[in-house]
Amino acid sequence: MYITTPIYYVTDSPHIGHAYTTVVGDALIRFYRLAGEDAWYLTGTDEHGLRIARAAEELGLTPQQLVDDVSSQYRDVWSSLEISNDDFIRTTDERHKRGAQAFLQTLYDNGDIYAARYEGLYCVPCEDYYREEDLLEGGLCPIHNRPVERFSEDNYFFRLSKYGDALLAHIEANPDFVFPPTRRNEVVGFIKQGLEDFSISRASLAWGIPIPWDEKQVTYVWVEALMNYATAIGYGQDEGQFHKWWPAVHLVGKDILRFHAVIWPAMLMAAGVEPPRQIAAHGWLLVGGEKMSKTALNQIAPRQLMETFGVDGYRYHFLRDVSFGPDGNFSWEGMVDRYNADLANDLGNLANRVLNMVERYRAGSVPAVAGSEESDQKLRAAASGALEALGGFRRFAFNDALLEVWRLFGAANAYVEENAPWALAKDPDRAGRLDEVLNALLESLRVGAILISPVMPNAAGRLWGQLGLEGRPDTAPYTKTAVFGVFPELTVRRGDPLFPRIEEG
Ligand code: MSP
């Protein structure tokens, strides 16, 4: 399983929109690892193009200084968000340059790249050409609401027009190729309108990768950026590694769907490489109902939220409260409510209560004995329901899966009330039952720690330690470990509360 995020432009510092894609991908890759599958997670930064060259100039920096600085901000944020990427590609890496040149040369040798004169209207922030009729009144870019520029030069073109039928056939034969289905329909509609060849190089832009057969031209940013998914795993340099991981699952925002679901698969077909396994597109994360942007001054940096919610609270919120596909609205109040209800109360209090009782009534150790009353059976059923639901990650159904895991914690809380361990503790004849009850509760927490580990690796690890378990909660495969069995006799070590309550104010 090879999963990628888009490579982020280094003109912007990381905000919660970028982090959304990266956190989703991380939960997904951790899920696949937990399922015992071989998995590779790639993210990185997109560092070439006119936009970057101009931004550097404005700041009085060289392009290299600018990209080094912002790229490292991305790496720092990903590490504080516990992102477990296996690799980080920068389009300024030598390996990317060599791989991209090999890729282009193949397209050229196969006859799908040709020279022609280009004249068009170009939006620099989009790094894309526009047709007159797609502009807003006054000739403004529909995305950036600012004037486009007229460019005219000799360029190389990619024969995209040749691939419409092959793309439609591929989508038809692979219904999950574009996910969710509404996005697949959008892509099919777009292809059916007819695809046009497009320019892939620029004569005037110095901050890019030289075209191998004509060093006066450099590659055009989108085509060059897309190739990162191939160059990072060794395209043109290490075929063994490339074929080990290819084809990829690409996670993207809806804004860049066409590049990934139309242009990129066509480029791969032209190069004789199999298309990606899947393109999964999510919506926008809105702040106050609007898309985040520098000009709207509504960008939120992940750190601003992590200070209050911690890394686990952060990751949990975006997976639990934003469904993958439609736009989602971020609200501080919503995040506080979710944290207090699910993390501080349902899970945090449960853990605290159970560990406390084990210490009080059993000096920290409970023998491995399982009960068979009706309440035990109900709790076990909730645990197997939660295990089953985790498989929803394969369909990007993170929120449904988490809801089901929380049903297990809800069932464990109800089980405490039903069995009233404090009453059992007073009755020496019921000492055996008390052991069973505490054992079942520790089991619920152990299974829960495993099931939350893709989303909250840090909290899962802490809970594991508090249960007195050795090793890690994310040992694969979870289908063997996250089952109610017998809790080995262990000594719990109650530590700090997992999720201290957040007081609103
Ligand atoms: N560099 C290109 C991608 C090249 S991939 C070969 C690019 N970069 S970007 O930094 O502008 O945006 C990358 C991705 O960040 C978006 O597709 C999306 O996944 C994510 N998001 C950026 N803003 C977002 C929101 N407000 N909400 C959710 N995701 C958003 O495009």
Side-chain angles (χ1 to χ4, degrees):
M1 190 46 72
Y2 171 38
I3 299 176
T4 70
T5 73
I7 47 173
Y8 301 100
Y9 282 136
V10 289
T11 40
D12 240 352
S13 294
H15 59 58
I16 59 173
H18 307 122
Y20 176 70
T21 321
T22 313
V23 164
V24 164
D26 191 63
L28 201 54
I29 207 79
R30 287 179 186 270
F31 164 79
Y32 282 110
R33 291 191 199 116
L34 187 63
E37 292 172 40
D38 247 2
W40 191 259
Y41 188 33
L42 176 71
T43 187
T45 40
D46 188 354
E47 307 187 1
H48 286 132
L50 197 47
R51 199 145 82 111
I52 282 139
R54 285 194 184 168
E57 208 178 326
E58 273 168 31
L59 293 167
L61 300 172
T62 63
Q64 191 65 51
Q65 286 171 321
L66 174 71
V67 301
D68 285 350
D69 174 48
V70 185
S71 181
S72 74
Q73 290 179 28
Y74 274 92
R75 261 164 301 163
D76 289 349
V77 173
W78 297 159
S79 112
S80 62
L81 277 170
E82 308 242 347
I83 303 301
S84 61
N85 53 303
D86 296 284
D87 192 4
F88 187 99
I89 181 110
R90 300 180 58 183
T91 54
T92 52
D93 285 347
E94 193 53 35
R95 58 176 174 156
H96 176 68
K97 179 178 166 187
R98 270 189 263 123
Q101 289 186 325
F103 200 112
L104 283 175
Q105 188 70 52
T106 308
L107 299 189
Y108 189 60
D109 295 345
N110 292 349
D112 280 331
I113 290 182
Y114 60 92
R117 182 141 197 99
Y118 196 88
E119 199 172 312
L121 299 165
Y122 195 79
C123 172
V124 174
C126 290
E127 299 284 12
D128 203 3
Y129 283 101
Y130 278 92
R131 295 181 303 184
E132 198 102 43
E133 60 264 37
D134 295 333
L135 297 175
L136 301 178
E137 226 172 289
L140 304 180
C141 160
I143 308 239
H144 294 93
N145 204 16
R146 48 168 275 166
V148 291
E149 297 174 39
R150 181 164 292 278
F151 282 149
S152 166
E153 58 186 29
D154 286 320
N155 283 173
Y156 289 99
F157 279 68
F158 174 60
R159 241 180 257 287
L160 180 65
S161 58
K162 188 172 143 188
Y163 290 95
D165 290 343
L167 287 167
L168 288 173
H170 185 78
I171 295 172
E172 177 88 11
N174 300 276
D176 290 332
F177 179 62
V178 181
F179 180 90
T182 47
R183 298 285 170 213
R184 179 180 62 229
N185 298 341
E186 183 186 314
V187 168
V188 167
F190 176 72
I191 299 171
K192 284 189 173 159
Q193 279 175 25
L195 299 176
E196 287 174 22
D197 295 352
F198 69 98
S199 155
I200 60 147
S201 74
R202 297 280 307 281
S204 49
L205 170 67
W207 187 243
I209 296 182
I211 298 283
W213 61 89
D214 180 353
E215 299 252 325
K216 289 191 297 303
Q217 296 255 339
V218 296
T219 52
Y220 171 83
V221 65
W222 264 103
V223 163
E224 184 249 321
L226 288 163
M227 293 187 291
N228 89 84
Y229 303 129
T231 61
I233 52 167
Y235 178 87
Q237 294 176 84
D238 182 346
E239 289 304 303
Q241 180 74 356
F242 180 72
H243 289 290
K244 173 169 162 59
W245 295 114
W246 193 257
V249 171
H250 299 306
L251 299 180
V252 298
K254 64 181 183 182
D255 53 323
I256 57 174
L257 173 63
R258 285 180 194 177
F259 293 102
H260 286 81
V262 179
I263 294 177
W264 175 229
M267 285 167 60
L268 288 159
M269 286 174 179
V273 178
E274 161 187 14
R277 185 193 300 267
Q278 189 173 48
I279 322 295
H282 62 75
W284 289 124
L285 205 58
L286 306 174
V287 173
E290 265 188 75
K291 186 176 176 243
M292 270 176 286
S293 70
K294 267 190 188 161
T295 43
L297 289 175
N298 61 353
Q299 294 185 331
I300 301 172
R303 263 188 242 291
Q304 291 170 278
L305 301 179
M306 273 190 283
E307 278 166 17
T308 302
F309 300 96
V311 58
D312 296 298
Y314 184 101
R315 294 172 57 113
Y316 181 72
H317 170 69
F318 287 102
L319 287 155
R320 175 64 183 80
D321 281 318
V322 181
S323 57
F324 188 92
D327 287 349
N329 204 26
F330 171 77
S331 98
W332 175 269
E333 293 73 19
M335 193 165 177
V336 171
D337 290 348
R338 175 64 66 194
Y339 176 97
N340 280 338
D342 289 17
L343 300 183
N345 282 358
D346 294 347
L347 174 54
N349 277 351
L350 173 70
N352 198 43
R353 240 173 141 189
V354 171
L355 296 173
N356 195 11
M357 290 190 291
V358 172
E359 282 183 348
R360 280 240 313 268
Y361 306 143
R362 286 291 178 263
S365 304
V366 183
V369 283
S372 55
E373 293 187 8
E374 203 190 320
S375 66
D376 297 291
Q377 277 151 20
K378 268 204 297 200
L379 189 58
R380 271 189 220 137
S384 50
L387 174 116
E388 195 68 33
L390 200 70
F393 273 47
R394 295 180 194 276
R395 302 183 309 279
F396 307 96
F398 308 105
N399 46 358
D400 292 346
L402 289 172
L403 184 75
E404 214 50 52
V405 175
W406 255 255
R407 289 226 166 93
L408 166 61
F409 299 137
N413 277 315
Y415 180 91
V416 174
E417 297 306 321
E418 216 170 312
N419 286 283
W422 45 91
L424 297 175
K426 288 195 193 119
D427 182 351
D429 292 342
R430 310 221 46 207
R433 180 61 189 155
L434 180 60
D435 285 338
E436 289 176 5
V437 167
L438 295 176
N439 174 262
L441 289 167
L442 290 171
E443 276 293 66
S444 306
L445 289 171
R446 184 182 61 82
V447 167
I450 295 168
L451 299 180
I452 64 171
S453 68
V455 173
M456 296 190 285
N458 185 296
R462 280 187 294 147
L463 177 54
W464 199 254
Q466 294 184 359
L467 293 171
L469 287 157
E470 299 296 328
R472 299 161 45 140
D474 57 356
T475 305
Y478 74 96
T479 44
K480 293 244 161 58
T481 58
V483 288
F484 245 58
V486 174
F487 197 92
E489 173 146 346
L490 287 171
T491 306
V492 305
R493 295 185 292 249
R494 191 155 66 97
D496 293 335
L498 287 174
F499 303 106
R501 227 190 132 69
I502 293 171
E503 299 309 334
E504 243 163 311

